[in-house]
Amino acid sequence: MFACIFIPDFCAQAIIRLEPKLRLCPVAVLIGRAPLEKVFALNERARQSGIDVGATKSQLEAWENLVLRTRSESQETSAHAALLDCAQSFSPEVEDTSCGTVILNLAGLEPMLGPLQKIARDLSQRILEMGLEANIAVAANPDAALLAARGFPGVTLIPEGREAERLGDLPVDVLLESFFCEGEQAAHWIETFDRWGIRKLRSLAALPEVPVSERLGQPGVRLQELARGEISRDLRVLEPQSIFVESVDLEYPIVLLEPLAFLINRMLEQLCARLSARALAAQELQLTLDLAGMSSDGCESSGRALPRTFMRRLRLPSPMLDAKVFLKLLQLDLQAHPPGAPIGKVHLLAEPARPRALQSGLFQPVFPEPEKLELTLARIAGIVGEGRAGSVELLDTHRADAFTLRHFAPAEPGSTQSVKQPTNRQKNKDMYMSGNGSVFECDEKFHEKREENVKEITQDEKGAVIALRLFRPRLDAIVTLCEAKPVRMRCPVREDIAGEIVWTAGPWRSSGDWSEQEGWSREEWDIAISADSGLVLYRLVQDKLSGTWFVEGTYD
Amino acid sequence: MYVELHSRSAFSFLEGASLPEELIAVCSNLGMTGMALLDRDGVYGSPRFHLAAKKAEIKAHIGAEVTCASFSPGAEPSPACMGQRPVATEEQCHGRFRLPLLAASRAGYQNLCRLITKMKLRAGRKEGAFASDLDFIEHGDGLICLTGGEEGPLAAALKRGGPQAAFEAVKRLAKMFGRSNVYVELQRHFHREEEYRNRVAIEIAEALQLPLLATNGVNYATPRERELADAFTALQHHRTLATAGRLLSRNGERYLKSPADMRMVFADFPQAIANTVELSSRLEFTLNDLGYEFPRYPVPEGESMISFLRERTREGMQSRYGRADAELKKRARRQIERELSLIEHLKLAGYFLIVWDLVRFCREEKILAQGRGSAANSAVCYALGITAVDPIGMELLFERFLSEERGEWPDIDLDLPSGDERERVIQYVYQRYGQRGAAMTANVITYRNRMAAREMGKALGFDAETLKRISAAVATWEFKDENDALDRRLRDAGLDLKHPRIRKYFELCLAAQDLPRHLGQHSGGMVICEGRLDSVVPLEPASMPGRVVVQWDKEDCADMGIIKVDLLGLGMMAALKDSLQLIRDHYHEEVDLAHLPADDPVVYSTLQKADTVGMFQVESRAQMACLPRLKPERFYDIVVQVAIIRPGPIVGNMVNPFLKRRQGKEAVTYPHPSLETVLGRTLGVPLFQEQLLRMAMITANFTGGEAEELRRAMGFKRSEARMKVIEEKLRAGMTRNEILGETQEQIIQSITSFALYGFPESHAASFALIAYASAYLKCHYLAAFTAALLNNQPMGFYHPSTIVKDAQRHGLKVLAMDVTRSDWKCTLEPSTISHQPSVRLGLKYARGLREPSGQALVRERSLAPFASVQDLTRRVPELRKDELTTLAEIGALNEIGNSPRRYPSAALRAGSDTEKSIERNSYSAGLNQKNSSVPLCLRGEKLFHRRDALWQVERAVRWSGPLLDELPEIDGESPLAAMTDEERLVADFRATGLTVGPHPMQYRREEMKRMGIYRACDLANLPNGQRLRIGGCVIARQRPGTAKGMMFISLEDETGIANAIVAPDLLQKNRVLLISERFLMIEGILQNQDDVIHIRAEKVSPLRITQAETASHDFH
């Protein structure tokens, strides 16, 4: 016999699980980006109060006591994991059918756990204790159990041989939703059965088999068998996930990082040994520290609320197995993010993955070892701050200096290298030099002029290779205007950048993102100021929205 | 001084964000003396630009930005290459640029039009049009070329090959257009890259000794429109504003700048500014000098066009007035002579002959054609057979049609049967005047609330579901109150306007209102020209093969003095024509529409009862509410009836006074004794535009032309200033005639109140003829008329389902679709139980069934009957599975199932139709009394039903393989249960939009009785003021602009139609219910006066009758 656990309104229940007080309230789960959020899922109470899936947030204003929550995939994952845990605590054979649906084999459990009815009730009770309300169905085969759990509320027990009779009352939609993931395919079947007037599984089961096969093919016959509860199959048993966790309870709380590092090192070595024994590496490390000195409700004597645990997670770019590297990474991370309280207990979890297998080419440049690279990056991030190290990727916008930072991940060796293209400027220069024969008398004149210009340009090119060195952070400036042009400026933080402006080019105006809250508008001037070393070129910018001036950079 | 010589309007379709009028208004405010409009690949906006500029006394220069493939480098075009279709290489496609061209002279403008026409017509479908260098060599005369901004030839060459390539490109332009006709353009939008380009441009100009020209490359009139321009850019590239990146403009500098600003921007190049004025003075061409000439009609040698016209008119007069009394004949002769003199004086003989020629063609081809509109005021048109209303007998005002003062072409519209016959007339025009001599007028599709809301939502990246919700919420009713404002509707769609992003969205929606989106084709307007039309306005290919369309819409063509002939497709004309054929075939009678009995009592009694579903122009709910009060007794009453339910008389409060006077409840008085002759026929109440003109002529001594000017001034929103001038003139005239004080005010009031929407009497008379004909055919040949109406849908006020139900209530038998009998169109079949034929629903009513499949089925059936569903599937391979399923679902395959193999007795099958199917038998017992005609032996037998057919179809469409393919199969019984009444209703409405079975309300009548719901037919016998309930299927919703926010709802049940009026406050409270529910129960007070019945709604609630998707005709 098999039992199926099905959690109706799973998305909503996953949220309510962590907020039990919401159980008596109508709850709507939203998805989408503000201001266009809409209802993705509801609990039964919300459905009864007339709310529909797809309603927008502002349409929900009419329901005063409605509780709105944003969809949380992590909470769904946790709820599902808890469901699996629960199922596995009853039976060793568990199938992870879909999100919120689990089937377990009850064969041989009766002597240990009591009659099937009791097992089902116990399951239901256990799940309720976890904060979820489930439909439980027990039947002779997994698919009948699944159909019954999806179609009947509460606990259902179908005696062997009476599947067709019990399932017969279920709508055909339950069958199609249970066995077709693709909406389009399910819709096709629903349409066909609707035309035929087949609305219950009983009617579907009653159709003669051969004519059904002639009309709907083998998928139709299979659906019929499912409707009769006749299909027997083995469970796709979930392999218990290998969990690589090490924990240490400390006799005395640790305050300093050094002894902690010593402890972590030991744990890492253990972990690496375990992983190595199974030919695995670590893809992610999760360090959880239980903080000591907290009262049971998480409050210190001062009354200030502090978290009871401190967690850091290191996601590695590729699976690694080097305890030293792990230790260094964790050390750097803890230096940047100290726990802030004495530590009473340490848990270290490694997420296993298959190790990286790569053979470098003989003629390919040496590629940095990922472990070292990751370490270096972590060190840099430790110095410059989190989120400030990585590969720069320019954004497609007119906004100056607009870029995003991605985790630095150099191309794998062997990937095609782009052939260096001649620059446009070089091409242009070649073009200037290779003029066609003249047709107009003015050709020569233009060429002469261009020759001169090219000479200039060649010098300009040296100058044109001029780079703009950005001041980071930018330098605020005080600017005096005359006829809307800057004539004098000074930077309060850099006394050397000040003086009469002897030359200007501009203004260069740009603005954008007006449809977003973070719209921008700026006016740039290229200016020259006399200095002891001669003229110095700066880029002076006014933010048109705030009116502030600043020096963005200097030209070499 | 500075003149802006490079600007785009919104007629560059998604590349400009201001209307031409707005550009001119800003230009005028900035004190500029001239401006040029260069829209993308066309002169779409130039008439509006020209007219606005004329009004503002600004010189409007015309040009265009022409898309070019990059010129073949160095290749000298040879004359041998001329005329060949240029093919752009891939490289050239990437190097496309826009060449700004300005028309310096009329020749230049003509060249520009031809150039654009040529490139547009040779471009393949979905291929971008482009010009090649050869085109410019052929059509370059009279054009001034600029080197353009960032999309111009200089920028393109500079990007491609650096300064040298740019130099070559400009040199090439100088060679093509002449050095004096090329200006090196400088634009400054404060970009570094642009300044680099300017530096190169200046060097090139110096080297080639070409003048510099400053422009601002304007895309919108004022800085605030930059946001809309950005949104358009995103839409154009199928991106959102967030993902469009650098496709969007860098800043908002492309607005119209003042001369002072431009002088400051180009302070270092004052000659570039000065050159704009110099170039402006060189551009002599304006649209005043269009050079359009209407085609001359070829006449036999020795004849002039006027003498030929006189002869044709004389012939026509003989036939029209030959049997008239002497007085009428004398008046007709006098009027025709007067009209001919004016036609000769205005040199319009050719125009009349051309229209006459079209009508002659229609007559010869046996195509019904009738002139409508003001042409019906002309005795010459009547004599020539263009119109069918006698203007002399009806004393119509000729000046409404044509006057010397007006200085514009007369307007002749021809009504033709919609469909193939109208297309034949259009093709005749093309054939007669040449592909480049005639074209359809354009129809500029503009942004309205719904389209703006959708498109701007797309630009802001709203998801498809949100866009759908917004579209559904945005009101498109004619009447709009404060609750229908866009912001309110967006709130209804669940958008929070307080959110800055949504607020921005709302602003964009408002800004996009009325801007052109794309060009469509007008339904019937054609323009023709002496010589080549493509020298007057560029032509473009229309989506329909064999048609070309001009770049201007109907109004623009009229404004530019281009004469047009409207060949309008009228569904009712097609229905009349089809009716006549069906009458000929099935009633074996010949009906001549021109000689119908003038005073048929059945027609008038039907009209008086407002039993007018399906009749032309008198079937709407408002018309039905008026007919019992007006009680038409003669033809002129129908003319009044057609004209009275119009915004003009309604807004001007003319309807009730007229009806009261007609019923004798109010005395007939006149605003002034002198107006008795004019208003006598309408009992002292002005109802027609002609009366308005005559009133002005009598009371203020206006000439016919001045009166027409008055109508036009009041007829256009944009002529409010003109209206004031004319009103003053009117007052002065009346004062001179000593019509003063209250009388003067009253006359002025009645003229101004409905001048805007008033209906011309001549037009009403033309429509009344068709209305009478439709009423006559409905009263006497219901089967033929109903079949013809069903075959020409969509048309009229009601859905086909209402037409069918109305016909059934009048005793017509409508038979279900049946593949063993139905043709593609609805047909007539002799009935065994009635003298009147029955209507058989045609296959065209099966939704999703393609015409080729349907025709193939009919063709195959004519060879041999279908033995089984399998046989049908095998013999008509064109039928797809979904088509067969639809046919099975609606019972169209039932009769195949009752094949001789299953029911060998031929006697049982004689005269079989769907009556014999079990379904008909099971249409709730007692509903269908005609079941008694079904042979008794069939009653107890299980017959083939829809689900049997569906069962067979499913098998037949699965290919069984070659081995079993030839094996015959008899359609056997299926294990499926027959459909219930409800299931049949759902299937009928889903797959045909109607049911020929009982009305859905009939199944639930007992329940309705218990709920105290009255039937529609009961209401006439109930007293006025009674509180009651009605219920039924919503078949029409209306919220007319003239009804002060009231909504009119028509509910249909098995006995007829009941009407309800919903006040604005009740509507507001029950908006969703009233707009979306398919069946309603309405409780309210019965108003039963003068045989006009309706319920003033006080409470509305939904009725759960059926899941069938019945449809309402909602007037938006």
Side-chain angles (χ1 to χ4, degrees), chain B residues 54-341:
Chain B
K54 201 170 169 184
K55 213 162 133 189
E57 296 178 355
I58 287 171
K59 201 170 171 189
H61 303 301
I62 305 299
E65 281 187 340
V66 176
T67 306
C68 306
S70 64
F71 297 151
S72 28
E76 290 300 319
S78 70
C81 302
M82 303 284 190
Q84 285 178 7
R85 185 181 191 271
V87 179
T89 61
E90 199 181 334
E91 192 193 351
Q92 282 176 324
C93 286
H94 288 301
R96 282 192 185 182
F97 58 85
R98 302 264 178 77
L99 187 62
L101 296 171
L102 286 159
S105 60
R106 188 206 278 184
Y109 175 77
Q110 290 178 336
N111 271 326
L112 182 65
C113 292
R114 283 183 192 158
L115 173 79
I116 294 171
T117 304
K118 193 186 232 180
M119 62 186 252
K120 291 268 184 185
L121 293 187
R122 76 177 165 219
R125 205 171 155 72
K126 296 196 173 172
E127 250 178 46
F130 68 92
S132 71
D133 37 5
L134 300 180
D135 296 326
F136 295 109
I137 289 164
E138 200 176 343
H139 298 292
D141 283 351
L143 290 171
I144 304 281
C145 161
L146 313 184
T147 57
E150 65 187 0
E151 292 179 334
L154 192 151
L158 185 64
K159 200 171 165 189
R160 196 181 64 243
Q164 184 61 36
F167 173 76
E168 293 297 336
V170 177
K171 196 169 75 177
R172 195 169 175 74
L173 291 176
K175 194 165 175 107
M176 282 194 294
F177 291 94
R179 207 186 289 192
S180 60
N181 294 327
V182 176
Y183 285 73
V184 176
E185 195 173 348
L186 300 181
Q187 292 184 1
R188 278 184 170 164
H189 299 112
F190 308 106
H191 302 174
R192 287 185 175 83
E193 297 81 353
E194 191 181 55
E195 204 49 41
Y196 166 67
R197 189 175 72 225
N198 284 342
R199 281 173 61 186
V200 174
I202 291 160
E203 282 175 17
I204 293 172
E206 273 176 22
L208 293 173
Q209 293 174 336
L210 295 174
L212 292 173
L213 187 82
T215 77
N216 197 37
V218 167
N219 279 355
Y220 34 84
T222 59
R224 67 170 181 273
E225 278 131 22
R226 179 261 178 120
E227 295 181 356
L228 185 61
D230 274 357
F232 280 164
T233 306
L235 284 174
Q236 195 192 4
H237 293 93
H238 307 288
R239 306 270 186 97
T240 67
L241 283 165
T243 59
R246 283 165 297 163
L247 290 169
L248 303 181
S249 57
R250 183 186 289 269
N251 58 33
E253 295 291 330
R254 287 182 174 272
Y255 61 93
L256 259 177
K257 290 183 178 163
S258 68
D261 283 349
M262 288 302 283
R263 271 199 304 275
M264 196 151 53
V265 170
F266 288 97
D268 48 344
F269 291 100
Q271 72 275 26
I273 294 287
N275 284 344
T276 63
V277 182
E278 182 266 336
L279 176 54
S280 174
S281 67
R282 277 184 64 191
L283 301 174
E284 290 164 6
F285 176 77
T286 68
L287 285 183
N288 284 331
D289 186 25
L290 197 56
Y292 169 78
E293 208 181 321
F294 192 72
R296 284 181 284 278
Y297 186 81
V299 291
E301 208 165 315
E303 291 252 31
S304 66
M305 282 198 285
I306 188 68
S307 68
F308 192 74
L309 178 67
R310 274 181 194 282
E311 191 52 32
R312 300 289 79 74
T313 312
R314 193 189 58 74
E315 286 167 10
M317 189 185 144
Q318 207 58 36
S319 95
R320 290 287 199 190
Y321 294 101
R323 280 174 291 178
D325 61 66
E327 169 59 21
L328 181 63
K329 216 185 273 184
K330 191 176 151 197
R331 274 166 49 210
R333 191 176 298 119
R334 208 167 47 223
Q335 176 63 21
I336 284 176
E337 194 43 53
R338 195 180 134 225
E339 288 184 22
L340 284 171
S341 307

Side-chain angles (χ1 to χ4, degrees), chain B residues 608-740:
Chain B
Q608 286 170 10
K609 284 187 286 184
D611 183 11
T612 52
V613 171
M615 292 181 191
F616 185 64
Q617 287 286 317
V618 288
E619 63 170 343
S620 74
R621 194 209 152 278
Q623 291 279 6
M624 280 189 181
C626 182
L627 278 165
R629 294 176 71 194
L630 196 139
K631 289 207 185 302
E633 289 166 353
R634 57 200 176 100
F635 180 70
Y636 190 74
D637 294 342
I638 305 177
V639 178
V640 171
Q641 180 67 47
V642 166
I644 198 166
I645 304 300
R646 303 281 162 186
I650 294 171
V651 171
N653 288 326
M654 308 296 178
V655 180
N656 274 329
F658 175 79
L659 291 176
K660 278 186 186 162
R661 290 177 188 198
R662 173 138 181 119
Q663 290 170 316
K665 292 179 181 172
E666 189 178 292
V668 175
T669 57
Y670 299 95
H672 192 264
S674 63
L675 296 177
E676 191 169 342
T677 49
V678 183
L679 301 178
R681 273 198 297 184
T682 52
L683 310 177
V685 181
L687 293 178
F688 300 110
Q689 271 185 1
E690 285 86 344
Q691 288 174 313
L692 153 93
L693 305 192
R694 279 195 199 273
M695 281 164 76
M697 288 160 79
I698 291 171
T699 57
N701 301 336
F702 271 36
T703 62
E706 282 172 332
E708 176 57 20
E709 175 71 5
L710 161 91
R711 186 192 68 80
R712 285 177 62 81
M714 293 181 176
F716 286 98
K717 281 181 197 164
R718 49 184 165 182
S719 303
E720 276 175 20
R722 261 166 69 201
M723 193 173 90
K724 275 195 177 160
V725 174
I726 289 174
E727 192 182 315
E728 278 166 23
K729 204 168 159 187
L730 197 62
R731 284 182 190 280
M734 280 197 238
T735 309
R736 271 199 302 280
N737 289 339
E738 293 179 354
I739 300 172
L740 303 164

Side-chain angles (χ1 to χ4, degrees), chain A residues 175-201:
Chain A
L175 173 70
L176 299 173
E177 282 162 14
S178 305
F179 295 99
F180 290 103
C181 303
E182 287 176 35
E184 206 176 307
Q185 208 181 359
H188 162 74
W189 286 106
I190 288 173
E191 204 179 308
T192 303
F193 290 142
D194 185 52
R195 279 212 184 90
W196 287 5
I198 304 289
R199 307 228 158 71
K200 300 275 183 189
L201 294 188

Side-chain angles (χ1 to χ4, degrees), chain A residues 41-58:
Chain A
L42 299 160
N43 69 349
E44 189 55 32
R45 279 176 188 273
R47 198 175 291 113
Q48 279 170 3
S49 60
I51 300 164
D52 291 325
V53 170
T56 65
K57 197 175 174 184
S58 44

Side-chain angles (χ1 to χ4, degrees), chain A residues 2-254:
Chain A
F2 296 86
C4 176
I5 308 169
F6 172 72
I7 312 290
D9 306 320
F10 181 67
C11 298
Q13 286 217 47
I15 289 168
I16 295 169
R17 175 174 161 258
L18 296 182
E19 294 182 75
K21 63 176 189 296
L22 297 183
R23 193 158 289 159
L24 298 176
C25 308
V27 178
V29 182
L30 303 174
I31 53 163
R33 202 180 132 209
L36 297 174
E37 303 107 314
K38 55 191 173 191
V39 175
F40 174 72
L42 299 160
N43 69 349
E44 189 55 32
R45 279 176 188 273
R47 198 175 291 113
Q48 279 170 3
S49 60
I51 300 164
D52 291 325
V53 170
T56 65
K57 197 175 174 184
S58 44
Q59 281 170 334
L60 299 177
E61 282 168 11
W63 283 268
E64 279 178 7
N65 57 348
L66 178 69
V67 179
L68 300 180
R69 290 288 181 271
T70 306
R71 187 185 179 191
S72 163
E73 289 185 24
S74 63
Q75 285 188 29
E76 286 169 25
T77 310
S78 309
H80 187 65
L83 200 62
L84 285 171
D85 283 346
C86 173
Q88 281 173 334
S89 70
F90 276 76
S91 167
E93 279 187 40
V94 174
E95 178 182 278
D96 182 3
T97 311
S98 62
C99 212
T101 309
V102 169
I103 301 176
L104 51 156
N105 191 350
L106 304 183
L109 296 183
E110 280 173 275
M112 282 190 293
L113 303 177
L116 294 172
Q117 184 78 31
K118 181 175 176 300
I119 297 175
R121 274 203 308 271
D122 289 350
L123 259 176
S124 174
Q125 184 57 35
R126 185 81 64 82
I127 293 165
L128 195 62
E129 284 163 12
M130 282 161 41
L132 297 168
E133 289 175 31
N135 295 345
I136 313 275
V138 178
N141 66 67
D143 294 330
L146 172 64
L147 278 175
R150 291 185 72 107
F152 300 118
V155 174
T156 310
L157 192 69
I158 302 180
E160 193 164 358
R162 294 185 59 194
E163 290 85 1
E165 183 191 333
R166 289 298 305 277
L167 296 178
D169 291 333
L170 290 179
V172 172
D173 300 9
V174 171
L175 173 70
L176 299 173
E177 282 162 14
S178 305
F179 295 99
F180 290 103
C181 303
E182 287 176 35
E184 206 176 307
Q185 208 181 359
H188 162 74
W189 286 106
I190 288 173
E191 204 179 308
T192 303
F193 290 142
D194 185 52
R195 279 212 184 90
W196 287 5
I198 304 289
R199 307 228 158 71
K200 300 275 183 189
L201 294 188
R202 179 165 292 111
S203 319
L204 177 58
L207 292 178
E209 198 168 317
V210 173
V212 164
S213 161
E214 284 175 331
R215 282 157 181 83
L216 305 179
Q218 283 311 301
V221 174
R222 182 168 175 265
L223 281 177
Q224 255 198 317
E225 287 171 349
L226 285 167
R228 293 186 195 122
E230 282 177 352
I231 291 189
S232 189
R233 65 171 175 91
D234 292 332
L235 289 187
R236 292 178 290 272
V237 177
L238 179 71
E239 255 188 63
Q241 205 179 357
S242 305
I243 302 167
F244 296 88
V245 183
E246 292 291 325
S247 299
V248 176
D249 279 311
L250 300 169
E251 211 166 322
Y252 302 103
I254 297 178

